[in-house]
Amino acid sequence: MKKSRLMIFAILVLAGILITQLHQIPNLDKQLGQDKATLKQAKTSQEQSQTMVSSPQSQQDNVSDSTKIVTAFVKTFSNQPTSSYSDTLKGMASQKVINGLTQTFAPSVTFSDKEHYEVPIVAVKNAWGSDLNYLVVAKSDAQSVAYTITYDTDEKQITNISRLTLKGAFDNEK
């Protein structure tokens, strides 16, 4: 009799454990799905990192080409009248950037024929991504102007530009 009670108790305990485990299966399936998605994302990220690391020459060429485009872009819009922006900047920058420059410079700034802007500084902030961030300084005899520029290597054009305030921007004036 004691053995049968002990057996019934053991069976009830094992049945309780089995029911508890069966109720946890959906949660475990959900966790497994989330972990698989996380693993897939990590593998994709690792492959992208390995591609960049394994082909630094192509990334360096990419940065070099985009730096030339950014430099040409700043020289072009600094030394051209705003009326020609839509033609001369097409292909180098998005239409949003061209419109923004036209609206910003057209009412208040006219670049003089006597002034000529050079671009002595083009610095890359982040060289390992599809969006390259640049700090560009354009300098004339009268002033220096700094810009932050975002170049999208996928679209092969400038997608954002903003002008920075330089302390002593008119320090060459007498």
Side-chain angles (χ1 to χ4, degrees), residues 145-164:
V145 184
Y147 302 96
T148 56
I149 296 176
T150 303
Y151 182 83
D152 190 333
T153 57
D154 295 333
E155 294 181 23
K156 303 267 188 242
Q157 63 180 341
I158 293 162
T159 56
N160 194 11
I161 182 170
S162 62
R163 186 173 175 169
L164 300 174

Side-chain angles (χ1 to χ4, degrees), residues 42-81:
K43 283 183 178 180
T44 303
S45 177
Q46 181 185 13
E47 287 173 6
Q48 288 174 345
S49 297
Q50 285 176 344
T51 301
M52 284 187 219
V53 171
S54 65
S55 61
Q57 186 60 44
S58 66
Q59 184 65 18
Q60 185 177 1
D61 292 344
N62 202 8
V63 170
S64 177
D65 293 344
S66 63
T67 302
K68 290 175 186 173
I69 291 170
V70 168
T71 304
F73 171 77
V74 173
K75 282 184 180 180
T76 301
F77 87 78
S78 295
N79 295 309
Q80 297 287 325

Side-chain angles (χ1 to χ4, degrees), residues 117-131:
Y117 282 83
E118 292 295 323
V119 182
I121 299 172
V122 179
V124 181
K125 180 180 177 186
N126 177 12
W128 293 103
S130 64
D131 287 347

Side-chain angles (χ1 to χ4, degrees), residues 1-95:
M1 183 96 164
K2 276 193 167 198
K3 286 185 181 181
S4 66
R5 284 186 186 169
L6 190 59
M7 281 291 259
I8 292 174
F9 178 73
I11 290 172
L12 288 174
V13 169
L14 290 174
I17 292 172
L18 181 63
I19 290 172
T20 304
Q21 293 298 322
L22 289 175
H23 283 296
Q24 289 182 354
I25 288 176
N27 290 337
L28 293 173
D29 285 340
K30 185 178 176 182
Q31 285 179 345
L32 178 63
Q34 290 173 344
D35 289 345
K36 281 184 179 180
T38 303
L39 178 63
K40 184 177 180 180
Q41 186 178 14
K43 283 183 178 180
T44 303
S45 177
Q46 181 185 13
E47 287 173 6
Q48 288 174 345
S49 297
Q50 285 176 344
T51 301
M52 284 187 219
V53 171
S54 65
S55 61
Q57 186 60 44
S58 66
Q59 184 65 18
Q60 185 177 1
D61 292 344
N62 202 8
V63 170
S64 177
D65 293 344
S66 63
T67 302
K68 290 175 186 173
I69 291 170
V70 168
T71 304
F73 171 77
V74 173
K75 282 184 180 180
T76 301
F77 87 78
S78 295
N79 295 309
Q80 297 287 325
T82 56
S83 59
S84 68
Y85 281 0
S86 59
D87 296 329
T88 57
L89 299 178
K90 193 170 193 139
M92 284 193 250
S94 67
Q95 193 61 43

Side-chain angles (χ1 to χ4, degrees), residues 111-116:
F111 291 112
S112 168
D113 292 336
K114 297 176 184 175
E115 283 197 47
H116 180 71

